[in-house]
């Protein structure tokens, strides 16, 4: 199904928020699920988490970081433009339960996928401590949104330009656990090294931790196996068995290796795209 | 022409691209018969009073009748004759395993070579298409009944065509962004050009079939929601899409693909045209494909066309047991695929960056026959050796994808997760829900999926007309 872009906002230098018309998906989606977007006929299919949805208006919101050709192309779309295909909601929804205190941790653009989970955890009656982090102050996104669905919010920056000075995993340990706040469950979404660091911390304190994995995907229906990861020594397909897994069981090294399969082609593809933008005088 | 003269005509070869040239391009391998060759081949048919060939065709095409029309030069008439029984002749003529179906039963095969029924079928269909837009058949008046079809592979397309002709309101829901099922994501361009599939789908659309792509049943909507939305009957033709791995060490290394992923990248996403198209694929120099079916042949020949220097086909039995179509095995050999028969991978060897660099293999010998009647391969102790490769494609089969089943209460499945459906009607354990094709039988063939679709369409029609 083609889908029209109806709102666009730049959240930081490379992070964009977009609202698309997608009535069926808006009605069905639950926290933790994602869509697959293909922009144009020659385009690839990329997975993006549904950060928010409005079933009444029939819209979904995505927040993405431009890292390569496809996300760059997406960021160049203007309100009124269409993407050729948008399909979903894919993946299993997050298991939302009242467990007591939940730490919702988002790193970088990972704050976007953590947001709907945080909202649902709070609505289920949990006490929610959120920790969001970024490299520096300018890259912190969705702070107000996160604050509105959390009981406590900690902002962490790697360079200390805002809030806690350090990584989100350190903020969790220093500002929450060591201050005697008991955490029953953690949810961590962000770059793989960040999720790994959080899991290393929570393992020490025996805190069950859910992570959302961003493996490379093609169909996202369980048909190709591109997205496979080892979890607890077993091969699982992120698109249909996940995207969320027990972080203490995930083979992060393998995930990182597999994300790098197309590094060279991805670079070539982006360079070519930026070159055409320059020729059209649209480069930035 | 009398029988004796007919007997003298040898089977006509189909002109095709030179193996050296074609192994580096994605264009279709055979060019197809010319009108002259087709007529000549058609004259080989003896017009048997009891044509055994027809019994060998799962959809019972009136083979002598259409071949006669070709001999008479009425090519469009021949195509129409075929279409009474088979809606997708350009496809079946290309991909049916004729040597175990129609052509196996042809009397001319007893002494010498059978009539080239598949090639003639393909010729008639291609000729009709070359004459401009194919005329659509008469459509019955609207019945007011709505049918949802899940999956746009050969099974779903057949049901759609049959039911729309009978006046039902038909919508196909397809998870991917292009309709066609395995015909578009699996079978490569050089064997089945995608514009042929597109023109068949266009034909269905002109008959009134609606197609919703990028719509996943079980996710975007469930079966129960379709009923709530007013569909009177549902056909499930979702195929057997779940890739199987062997469960040996190293299978998640970079450069190890399932055939589904490899072929989907190459065909559906057109990764062979990267960077014109955005989807990348690993272009290995030394590629091993594991398996011996059509999927393995397609993967091996795709690897060659992506520029590989060496492509090994690693198969644990001997060539005689290979399930692939004879023509594909023949083409693969001509193109220089290196067959490593009676060989099985034991583990994949990786480097420190997680990339595959080799396969440790075992040589096998054939032992006693197993359940399938084929002799069981047993490993030869101490026969380990390493094949140096940078890409591996695992093509050892597929299983049922559980997306629909998981969200449809009351749908009976067998122990492997396939949907249980009546062989004659496609009826499942849920009222108003029918199923057919690979999701019922496990991976089979295009023509069997179409045959199941035809039977289900008949049963759905009866069900709809009985229902008040
Ligand atoms: C379930 C899921 C949800 C996701 N949600 C979000 C989200 O909400 N916001 C967001 O910004 N990103 C999200 N991602 C990651 C996003 O899909 C990738 O950033 C995107 O595909 C990159 O495409 P590209 O062409 O711009 O970059 P590329 O040039 O293709 O790649 C650049 C980098 O992105 C990684 N990458 C490439 N392809 C994929 C892929 N198909 N999936 C994942 N990573 C890939 C590569 O490892 C590489 O490091 C999600 C991924 C998954 C699997
Ligand atoms: C590489 C390859 C080569 C082959 N070569 C040959 C050959 O030469 N000759 C031959 O006769 N056979 C061949 N086959 C087998 C043949 O293609 C299949 O038996 C046939 O396509 C099965 O048809 P189907 O309609 O049952 O399913 P499929 O063709 O598998 O189509 C199923 C469709 O359903 C869609 N779907 C699945 N789940 C959902 C859902 N939840 N919602 C919506 N849509 C869904 C899928 O995306 C797919 O498009 C080959 C198969 C492969 C993979
Ligand atoms: S449909 Fe297949 S089996 Fe039947 S006649 Fe044609 S090629 Fe032969
Ligand atoms: S069995 Fe062979 S010779 Fe006889 S009618 Fe069929 S195709 Fe012709
Ligand atoms: S993306 Fe293809 S199986 Fe998960």
């Amino acid at each position: 199904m083609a889908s029209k872009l109806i709102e666009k906002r730049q959240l930081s230098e490379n992070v964009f928020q977009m609202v698309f018309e997608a009535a069926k998906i808006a009605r069905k989606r639950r926290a933790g699920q994602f869509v697959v977007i293909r922009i144009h006929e020659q385009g690839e299919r990329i997975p993006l988490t549904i950060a928010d949805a409005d079933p009444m208006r029939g819209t979904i919101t995505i927040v993405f970081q431009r890292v390569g050709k496809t996300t760059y192309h997406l960021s160049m779309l203007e309100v009124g433009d269409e993407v050729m295909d948008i399909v979903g909601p894919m993946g299993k929804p997050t298991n939302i339960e009242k467990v007591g205190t939940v730490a919702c941790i988002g790193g970088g653009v990972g704050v976007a996928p953590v947001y709907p989970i945080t909202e649902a955890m709070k609505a289920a009656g949990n006490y929610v401590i959120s920790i969001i982090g970024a490299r520096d102050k300018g890259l912190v996104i969705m702070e107000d949104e996160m604050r509105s669905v959390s009981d406590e919010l900690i902002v962490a920056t790697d360079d200390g330009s805002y809030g806690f000075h350090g990584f989100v995993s350190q903020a969790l340990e220093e500002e929450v656990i060591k201050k005697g706040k008991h955490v029953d469950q953690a949810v961590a979404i962000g770059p793989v090294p960040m999720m790994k660091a959080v899991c290393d911390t929570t393992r020490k304190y025996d805190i069950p931790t859910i992570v959302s994995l961003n493996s490379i995907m093609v169909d996202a229906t369980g048909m190709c196996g591109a997205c496979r990861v080892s979890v607890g020594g077993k091969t699982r397909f992120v698109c249909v068995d996940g995207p969320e897994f027990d972080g203490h069981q995930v083979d992060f090294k393998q995930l990182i290796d597999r994300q790098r399969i197309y590094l060279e082609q991805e670079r070539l593809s982006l360079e070519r795209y930026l070159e055409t933008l320059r020729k059209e005088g649209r480069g930035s | 022409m009398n029988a004796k003269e007919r007997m003298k005509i040898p089977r006509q070869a189909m002109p095709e691209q030179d193996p050296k040239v074609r192994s580096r391009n994605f264009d279709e391998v055979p060019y197809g018969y010319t009108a002259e060759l087709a007529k000549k081949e058609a004259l080989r048919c003896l017009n048997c009073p009891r044509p055994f060939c027809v019994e060998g065709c799962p959809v019972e095409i009136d083979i002598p009748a259409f071949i006669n029309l070709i001999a008479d030069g009425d090519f469009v008439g021949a195509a129409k004759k075929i279409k009474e029984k088979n809606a997708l002749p350009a496809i079946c003529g290309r991909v049916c395993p004729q040597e175990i179906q129609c052509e196996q039963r042809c009397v001319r095969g007893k002494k010498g070579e059978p009539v080239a029924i598949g090639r003639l079928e393909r010729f008639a269909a291609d000729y009709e298409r070359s004459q401009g837009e194919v005329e659509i058949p008469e459509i019955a008046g609207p019945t007011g009944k709505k049918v949802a079809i899940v999956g746009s592979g050969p099974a779903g397309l057949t049901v759609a065509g049959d039911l729309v002709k009978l006046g039902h309101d038909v919508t196909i829901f397809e998870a991917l962004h292009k309709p066609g099922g395995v015909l578009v994501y699996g079978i490569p361009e050089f064997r089945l050009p995608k514009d042929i599939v597109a023109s068949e789908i266009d034909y269905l659309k002109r008959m009134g079939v609606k197609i919703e792509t990028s719509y996943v049943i079980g996710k975007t909507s469930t079966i129960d929601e379709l009923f709530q939305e007013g569909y009177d009957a549902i056909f499930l033709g979702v195929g057997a899409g779940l890739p199987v791995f062997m469960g040996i060490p190293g299978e998640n290394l970079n450069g190890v693909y399932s055939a589904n992923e490899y072929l989907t990248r190459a065909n559906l996403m057109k990764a062979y045209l990267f960077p014109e198209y955005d989807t990348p694929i690993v272009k290995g120099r030394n590629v091993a494909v594991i398996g011996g079916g059509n999927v393995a042949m397609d993967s091996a020949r795709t690897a060659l066309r992506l520029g590989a220097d060496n492509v090994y086909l690693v198969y644990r039995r001997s060539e005689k047991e290979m399930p692939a179509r004879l023509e594909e095995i023949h083409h693969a050999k001509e193109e220089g695929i290196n067959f490593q028969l009676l060989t099985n991978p034991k583990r994949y060897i990786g480097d420190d960056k997680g990339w595959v660099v080799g396969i440790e293999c075992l040589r096998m010998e054939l032992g006693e026959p197993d359940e399938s009647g084929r002799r069981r391969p047993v490993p030869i102790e101490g026969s380990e050796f390493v094949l140096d490769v940078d890409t591996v494609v695992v093509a050892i089969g597929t299983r049922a994808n559980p997306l629909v089943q998981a969200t449809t209460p009351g749908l009976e499945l067998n122990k492997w997760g396939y949907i249980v459906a009546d062989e004659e009607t496609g009826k499942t354990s849920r009222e108003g829900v029918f199923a057919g094709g690979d999701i019922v039988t496990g991976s089979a063939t295009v023509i069997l999926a179409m045959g199941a679709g035809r039977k289900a369409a008949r049963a759905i029609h009866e069900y709809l007309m009985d229902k008040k």
Side-chain angles (χ1 to χ4, degrees), chain A residues 39 42 59 61 101 110 144 167 173 207 229 244 251 273 284:
Chain A
I39 302 175
Q42 289 78 26
T59 61
T61 303
T101 300
D144 294 339
F167 301 127
E173 189 159 25
I207 301 168
V229 287
E244 290 168 10
D251 182 343
Y273 181 69
S284 54

Side-chain angles (χ1 to χ4, degrees), chain B residues 159-385:
Chain B
V159 177
D162 284 6
L163 290 179
V164 82
K165 261 187 259 176
L166 294 166
H168 303 299
D169 180 350
V170 178
T171 307
I172 298 180
F173 295 93
E174 168 55 51
L176 295 172
H177 57 262
K178 273 210 174 67
V182 167
L183 306 177
V184 293
Y185 81 71
I187 304 180
E189 178 77 18
F190 56 83
R191 203 148 72 77
L192 178 62
K194 298 308 152 227
D195 58 4
I196 292 178
V197 183
S199 82
E200 297 296 355
I201 283 159
D202 181 57
Y203 176 76
L204 287 179
K205 282 191 184 156
R206 284 196 284 127
M207 288 202 287
V209 173
K210 286 169 273 187
I211 305 185
E212 296 263 13
T213 49
S214 295
Y215 202 118
V216 187
I217 300 303
K219 290 289 177 190
T220 317
S221 301
T222 61
I223 295 293
D224 291 303
E225 285 165 338
L226 289 179
F227 279 126
Q228 282 158 24
E229 282 171 29
Y231 287 94
D232 299 290
I234 297 173
F235 176 79
L236 302 176
V238 293
L242 187 78
V244 174
F245 290 92
M246 292 169 70
I248 58 176
E251 262 173 335
N252 294 347
L253 287 168
N254 290 357
V256 180
Y257 282 105
S258 76
N260 273 5
E261 182 185 352
Y262 196 66
L263 293 171
T264 300
R265 282 183 182 273
N267 300 322
L268 181 70
M269 305 312 298
K270 302 231 180 307
Y272 65 89
L273 298 175
F274 181 89
E276 299 313 318
Y277 279 69
D278 292 340
T279 305
I281 193 166
V282 173
K283 296 186 172 179
R285 304 211 76 97
N286 296 296
V287 183
V289 176
I290 318 296
N294 286 320
V295 185
M297 299 300 153
D298 285 346
S299 303
R301 297 170 68 199
T302 296
L304 205 60
R305 285 159 173 77
L306 287 171
D309 297 332
N310 295 298
V311 181
Y312 305 100
L313 189 104
V314 177
Y315 181 55
R316 64 197 180 119
R317 305 184 200 244
S318 68
E319 188 175 326
K320 214 170 70 208
E321 284 85 17
M322 279 191 174
R325 294 179 75 216
L326 267 188
E327 183 170 88
E328 308 318 325
I329 298 175
H330 170 71
H331 279 152
K333 280 189 170 166
E334 272 186 345
E335 290 167 12
I337 305 291
N338 179 333
F339 283 40
Q340 294 285 322
L341 301 169
L342 289 164
T343 305
N344 211 23
K346 192 173 158 194
R347 66 181 179 106
Y348 301 106
I349 303 165
D351 67 12
D352 57 351
K353 295 209 176 68
W355 278 87
V356 67
V357 293
I359 316 178
E360 185 177 316
C361 297
L362 273 170
R363 295 285 186 206
M364 314 289 278
E365 58 193 355
L366 291 179
E368 295 299 306
D370 62 11
E371 319 85 65
S372 72
R374 293 180 302 178
R375 292 175 64 193
R376 187 196 304 274
V378 276
I380 301 173
E381 227 172 290
S383 64
E384 284 88 349
F385 70 99

Side-chain angles (χ1 to χ4, degrees), chain A residues 34 44-49 63-65 67-72 109 113 213-217 243 259-260 263 266:
Chain A
F34 63 95
E44 67 178 333
R45 301 166 60 99
I46 65 158
L48 294 169
T49 307
V63 175
F64 64 92
Q65 180 168 15
V67 291
K69 153 87 206 274
T70 304
T71 43
Y72 214 106
V109 72
L213 304 184
N214 51 351
S215 53
I216 292 179
M217 295 188 175
Q259 282 182 339
R260 298 171 63 88
L263 226 50
E266 284 159 357

Side-chain angles (χ1 to χ4, degrees), chain A residues 217-220 222-227 237 239:
Chain A
M217 295 188 175
V218 185
D219 64 304
M223 181 270 278
C224 77
C227 60
F237 288 7
C239 67

Side-chain angles (χ1 to χ4, degrees), chain B residues 57-58 61 63 86 92 96 98 101-102 117-118 121 447:
Chain B
C57 170
I61 291 175
I63 295 168
N86 178 348
C92 293
C96 260
Q98 287 94 8
Q101 295 181 344
C102 51
I117 302 168
E121 181 172 341
I447 192 70

Side-chain angles (χ1 to χ4, degrees), chain B residues 44-48 50-54 63-64 67 102 105-108 114-115 117:
Chain B
R44 295 182 66 229
C45 172
L46 304 177
N47 242 317
C48 307
R50 179 165 171 213
F52 287 106
C53 55
V54 177
I63 295 168
I67 292 184
C102 51
R105 306 292 300 276
C106 171
V107 291
R108 291 224 42 189
V115 175
I117 302 168

